Structure formats: structure tokens, C-alpha cells
Amino acid sequence: MKKIILLILITCALTSFQNYEIAEFSLVGKWKGEAVNEVGYIVFQEDGYAYLEFQGQIIGGKEFVIKGEKGSMYYEVDYDKTPITVDLIVKKIESGKTKKLLFIAQIVSENQIKMQLDFSGVRPSEFDDANSLIFNRVE
């Protein structure tokens, strides 16, 4: 009986600690990810815009040009969902058309997150270690 009570107390304590981390956590910053010997960065800016940095190119931010059209990239995060949801939204400025990249994210530590994207346009519901990436905060 004592073991069961101890197990319940430990579980409650860990659950409370995890909720505190989520409440204090913010994606704002520059995150470095590595996959197949390639390094890339995703930057979540305080003003809600985001950009990707890969092979010396920057895509996104408040205003950028892609295929001859001006666009912007911003993000939305829902910390209340489990796993956390992150949407990167690319908007063509002239036409107003948008395209969303739907991620799930898990806080590993204050400076490390695990993220996964499904390129089919559907948000993943769980992590697949073969297709998820670990990002480390560098700024």
C-alpha cells in the first residue's frame, strides 16, 4: 500500500512539474536542427513571424520573395494541446493565399524540442522517431 501511495505522489509531482515547464516555455528564438548531415535553422520571432535558414538561404519572415511573389511567414503555437501544435503559415501578400505546415512539438528541455511534420498536409498525431527532428536553441 505504501508503494502505491508513493507512486501516486511521484506521478502527481512529475505531472505538476511538466505543466510548469510548458507554462514557462516559449518557442521564441533560433533553433538548430540536423538531419542526414544537413544543418538548418528555424527562427521564431517575438513578433509572430518565422523564417527558415538552410544552405545559406533564408526563407520566410515578415517579407520575402518566392517564385517572383512577395510573401510572409508567421507561426501559431498552441501550448495547451498535447503534443503542442505549431503551424508555420506562408502567405502570398498580393493574393492573400496561405499554405500551412502543420507540426507537433514536444519540450525535451528549456533549450531542446522535438518536432515532427507530415508533408501530406495532415498534422501528425504522434511522434515517429525516424521522421522527427530534435532542435536545439542556439539564441
Side-chain angles (χ1 to χ4, degrees), residues 85-98:
T85 61
V86 180
D87 298 348
L88 281 181
I89 302 132
V90 177
K91 180 178 181 180
K92 291 183 179 179
I93 294 173
E94 193 172 300
S95 68
K97 290 183 182 180
T98 61

Side-chain angles (χ1 to χ4, degrees), residues 31-55:
W31 298 85
K32 177 182 176 183
E34 296 182 48
V36 194
N37 299 323
E38 301 272 348
V39 175
Y41 300 89
I42 184 167
V43 179
F44 297 100
Q45 297 175 305
E46 202 167 317
D47 62 2
Y49 289 98
Y51 64 88
L52 306 171
E53 193 176 321
F54 183 73
Q55 295 180 343

